[in-house]
Amino acid sequence: MRKKVIAGNWKMNMLPNETISFIEELAPLVKNTENEVILCVPYTDLFYALLTAQNTNIKIGAQNMHYEENGAYTGEISGKMLKSINVDYVIIGHSERRQYFNETDETVNKKIKSAFRDGLKPIVCVGETLEQREAGKTEEIITKQTELALAGLTNEQVQNTIIAYEPIWAIGTGKTATKEDANNSIKSIRNKIAQIYGQNIADGVIIQYGGSVKSANAKELFEMSDIDGGLVGGASLKAEEFSKIVNF
Ligand code: PGA
């Protein structure tokens, strides 16, 4: 049985003092869950988040990293740096990074390999645009993105990769994929992984849904056969609302 993994993606929101109060409020609300709880916070909040989340079941992640360990990359942060302060997870290839910061399937693949090299667990985002969906290309696009993202990884690394299926038209728009649609897309990703790495590996990979997840729709989505939790943006910015999603 795969466990459910609920990750918040704060994007470019929250200051250190807000981070501390958020985690102090969230911790007691989620302490009894069997689901995995992750908060992916801005770099400037990481240290405060890690300290405040000590001795809780809340894990902390970053939202991006560079694939080199160090060097002349002004403004960048490496996986090695994240690991050095005990960050556990890192989001890679979020559609906003692909759209605004020139992330490609190739850089996504490099970053995933580096994340494993540096001892981090990647949460890798894939998803189609509205145009691609309307052209009937959803499955083709998301399975190709998955294949390219995972290229060259060992079976064990694939098993330890979290994939977040996030239809771009559903992110931050209040529009959610229907639970059937989301489940079918996730099944197609899982089938692609099975084709390449075998059914056993595919059956163990955590694949989340993301895109306007909130407490009102979390349960119906997360109860579907192939949806293993969610990557939550806007609704992860309020501790009480996020706790309801975690405890769906
Ligand atoms: P949303 O964002 O929940 O605000 O739609 C999800 C995401 O971008 O990861």
Side-chain angles (χ1 to χ4, degrees), residues 216-231:
N217 59 24
K219 187 175 163 70
E220 62 170 53
L221 286 162
F222 299 169
E223 280 180 352
M224 297 301 284
S225 64
D226 279 67
I227 305 182
D228 305 323
L231 183 58

Side-chain angles (χ1 to χ4, degrees), residues 81-98:
M81 291 168 170
L82 296 174
K83 192 63 197 179
S84 74
I85 59 168
N86 293 325
V87 170
D88 289 313
Y89 292 88
V90 59
I91 298 176
I92 291 181
H94 189 278
S95 61
E96 286 150 17
R97 298 229 38 106
R98 294 181 192 250

